[in-house]
Structures are given as C-alpha cells and as structure tokens.
Amino acid sequence: GRKIALEIVRHHRLLELYLSESLGMPWHEVHAEAELLEHHLSDELEALMDSALGYPTRDPHGDPIPNAALEIAEDLGIDLTQVEPGAEGVVSRVSDRNREQLEYLGSLGVYPGERVAVLERMPFDGPLRVRIGKQEILLGPAVARQVIVEL
C-alpha cells in the first residue's frame, strides 16, 4: 500500500513541477491539474519527465518528490509561527492545499528558497512581521502556518 501511495505522490509532484517549469503554469494552478493526471501517467512518461527535469527532489511548493526507487526525503523545518523574532532561515515549503492562499503568498514573494526573517510577533495571536527577500510583510497566523522554514 505504501509503495502505491508513494508512486502516486511521485506522479503528482513530478507533474506539478513539469507543468510549472516546462509549461509555465502558475504554481497556484498546478496542484488541481496534477490531481487530474496523476493516476494516468505511464512509467515511460514518468521517466521522461524525471529526466527532462534533471531528476528533481522537490516540487514547485518545496514538497519532496519520491525518487524512482520510491524513497522519499525526510521533510525538515518548522512552520513560520514557531520561528522566534530575530531568527532567520530559508523557506523550504509552502502548502499547496489552498489555491487562493498560495496565489497570495506568491504575490508576496513567499517561495521555496527565499530567505525569511521574523522581525516581530504581534501580541494576542496577531500577525507576524517578516522580511522576505528585501520587503517587509505582515502574515496572520493561519497563513504563516502554511510556510515551512529551515533555520
């Protein structure tokens, strides 16, 4: 059962990356399209996409892609709400479960690989003031929990 699940995850994440990198589909749209295609991907097409993409290890949202042997990397990091003010890190993953939220985070420049610093945590479960790249933004806790950071 686990191998079947990992193969579907592999198909899904390779499709997301292929749609994003090779076809230019926006990152907030690839999840839904990959959901439609993941069960219909042949082993041959999977291998061709994997090769064409350079044997990637992460999808456009930072989620690990199982390799051809169906081994998957450990997912590291903590969500942005757990980062202490003054600490810095790199965005490793952004949840793709909510399309509108993902589009919003993308509009703010919150992508895997971007440097992020928590500048201030507002009291009473208020927003976080963070620096992403060179800009400062405010993120409410519900949105900040969708951003995974490696310190």
Side-chain angles (χ1 to χ4, degrees):
R2 177 172 163 77
K3 281 194 163 200
I4 292 169
L6 283 172
E7 186 164 10
I8 292 169
V9 168
R10 176 173 165 74
H11 288 177
H12 181 91
R13 292 179 181 168
L14 278 172
L15 281 161
E16 286 184 330
L17 190 61
Y18 186 80
L19 292 168
S20 176
E21 285 194 6
S22 298
L23 301 180
M25 184 177 275
W27 81 323
H28 61 275
E29 294 179 7
V30 298
H31 180 77
E33 195 66 33
E35 287 276 320
L36 297 173
L37 299 171
E38 65 191 20
H39 298 284
H40 306 288
L41 192 64
S42 70
D43 291 342
E44 293 80 13
L45 184 55
E46 172 196 311
L48 284 171
M49 286 182 0
D50 195 24
S51 175
L53 292 166
Y55 306 100
T57 59
R58 300 276 168 172
D59 75 5
H61 313 105
D63 291 315
I65 299 173
N67 64 21
L70 300 180
E71 301 161 333
I72 191 165
E74 184 178 345
D75 212 6
L76 304 173
I78 58 174
D79 78 60
L80 198 54
T81 64
Q82 298 174 32
V83 177
E84 292 298 321
E88 296 185 22
V90 175
V91 175
S92 62
R93 285 188 317 120
V94 180
S95 174
D96 63 358
R97 298 296 174 219
N98 182 313
R99 177 190 159 135
E100 289 81 17
Q101 194 172 65
L102 188 60
E103 183 176 14
Y104 173 69
L105 287 167
S107 76
L108 298 174
V110 181
Y111 291 102
E114 289 293 326
R115 293 211 50 80
V116 62
V118 174
L119 304 174
E120 181 180 9
R121 178 177 286 121
M122 305 298 176
F124 309 109
D125 204 27
L128 297 175
R129 186 169 61 90
V130 301
R131 185 177 60 247
I132 187 85
K134 295 183 187 248
Q135 70 174 338
E136 288 187 17
I137 59 174
L138 293 174
L139 291 176
V143 175
R145 276 190 286 278
Q146 307 310 307
V147 179
I148 307 301
V149 175
E150 288 184 27
L151 300 176

